[in-house]
Amino acid sequence: MKKANIYMLVVLGLISIQSNCRNSYKLTAKFESDTSNTFPDVSLPGNPDGDRIDWYGSSNSMLQVVSRTNSEGETSNWLQLNQTTNDPQFYPGLLSFVPAPETSDGVGYTVNWKGYIDVPLGADNLLDILVSVSEGESHRSDRVISFAMRPERLVDGERSRKYGIYLLENGSYSNTALGYVRTGGPHSISIFLFKETREYHIVGFGETIVRNFPEEIELNRPSLHFIFDGFPGIGVYRMDNVFILQGDRTISE
């Protein structure tokens, strides 16, 4: 079986697991109905109404829907967050996926997306990609989890084609990568949040990362956030199939 087909089976398997656990979608973001090379529609479908994409950046050109064709000849739309200039006047943009407010009594949530890091071979000044899940709308307050995807530095004169995963804990990022994603190919990341045990599990970096989130956070409306860090520099991150699900029970991994 070809790699692309194996990858799709993994993604479908993750979604199937969630469906079997009686999950309901709190937010769904796909981009097939958007026009390529344009700013995305920031109003997302959902029930209740009000799911949305928030964008804060120096230019809308930094956030565009792009069309890409894979090795199987299949074309699909992705949402692309990019910083293609070293000009410090272009400050990093913040991209957020925010579900509508609603009463919630679920004991767990799943945050899932498909990502793709696309950088020029041998490029320097690559930016970190900061990812966080927060309670409510703001990426700064009530942060449940935060990690950085950082380009591995020069080894034997050549830049590694992978990004390390570094968790933000106690106000600083870990010194050792807890996993990796490679550039030039898709990856799927799932974050499972368990209210009863106050745990989160991250899947998609080769190993399952398990940590606890703060007791004081009332987890009822998780949101997902992306931002480039380390200016000036360049970087491109594409994403698709962004889901935030609410479940009525935990899962077995």
Side-chain angles (χ1 to χ4, degrees):
M1 182 179 291
K2 296 183 179 180
K3 290 183 178 178
N5 293 332
I6 294 174
Y7 168 76
M8 288 305 300
L9 286 174
V10 171
V11 173
L12 292 173
L14 284 170
I15 297 174
S16 176
I17 289 173
Q18 300 310 306
S19 300
N20 291 338
C21 294
R22 302 192 300 277
N23 279 256
S24 60
Y25 286 88
K26 290 182 68 68
L27 179 145
T28 301
K30 298 182 178 181
F31 308 101
E32 292 309 309
S33 60
D34 288 278
T35 302
S36 182
N37 300 316
T38 64
F39 190 74
D41 184 353
V42 297
S43 297
L44 299 175
N47 183 20
D49 293 336
D51 296 348
R52 69 182 194 270
I53 294 173
D54 284 348
W55 167 247
Y56 304 96
S58 57
S59 170
N60 282 353
S61 64
M62 296 170 63
L63 186 69
Q64 297 281 296
V65 175
V66 297
S67 180
R68 289 293 181 269
T69 302
N70 63 19
S71 59
E72 302 295 316
E74 300 167 332
T75 301
S76 61
N77 282 352
W78 296 69
L79 183 62
Q80 179 170 286
L81 177 63
N82 72 85
Q83 172 63 32
T84 56
T85 174
N86 284 310
D87 186 349
Q89 298 300 316
F90 284 82
Y91 60 85
L94 168 65
L95 170 65
S96 300
F97 295 88
V98 182
E102 63 175 322
T103 302
S104 174
D105 57 2
V107 299
Y109 297 92
T110 300
V111 181
N112 178 267
W113 72 95
K114 181 172 67 173
Y116 194 112
I117 300 172
D118 191 359
V119 294
L121 182 63
D124 206 352
N125 288 343
L126 298 179
L127 297 174
D128 295 350
I129 304 166
L130 306 185
V131 182
S132 63
V133 174
S134 300
E135 168 60 20
E137 300 185 8
S138 173
H139 79 290
R140 294 185 179 275
S141 60
D142 289 338
R143 192 174 292 170
V144 180
I145 172 180
S146 184
F147 61 87
M149 293 191 284
R150 290 179 170 170
E152 293 300 291
R153 300 307 172 188
L154 293 175
V155 178
D156 297 329
E158 294 186 3
R159 183 173 297 281
S160 171
R161 298 290 288 175
K162 62 184 180 181
Y163 274 54
I165 308 304
Y166 298 84
L167 281 181
L168 177 64
E169 298 179 291
N170 300 317
S172 61
Y173 287 99
S174 55
N175 293 322
T176 304
L178 300 180
Y180 297 93
V181 292
R182 299 196 65 82
T183 63
H187 55 260
S188 182
I189 299 174
S190 295
I191 302 174
F192 303 108
L193 307 168
F194 303 108
K195 293 178 67 173
E196 292 180 341
T197 60
R198 315 299 293 179
E199 286 183 346
Y200 63 79
H201 297 191
I202 313 177
V203 179
F205 306 132
E207 296 184 8
T208 299
I209 301 170
V210 180
R211 294 289 191 276
N212 292 99
F213 59 86
E215 289 285 345
E216 63 270 17
I217 293 180
E218 290 291 336
L219 189 60
N220 296 304
R221 189 190 174 199
S223 54
L224 176 63
H225 311 270
F226 299 88
I227 189 171
F228 278 129
D229 188 51
F231 274 64
I234 61 173
V236 173
Y237 190 59
R238 301 189 194 108
M239 62 212 73
D240 192 13
N241 294 340
V242 181
F243 302 120
I244 300 177
L245 304 97
Q246 173 185 314
D248 60 0
R249 69 178 195 179
T250 59
I251 67 166
S252 297
E253 296 188 56

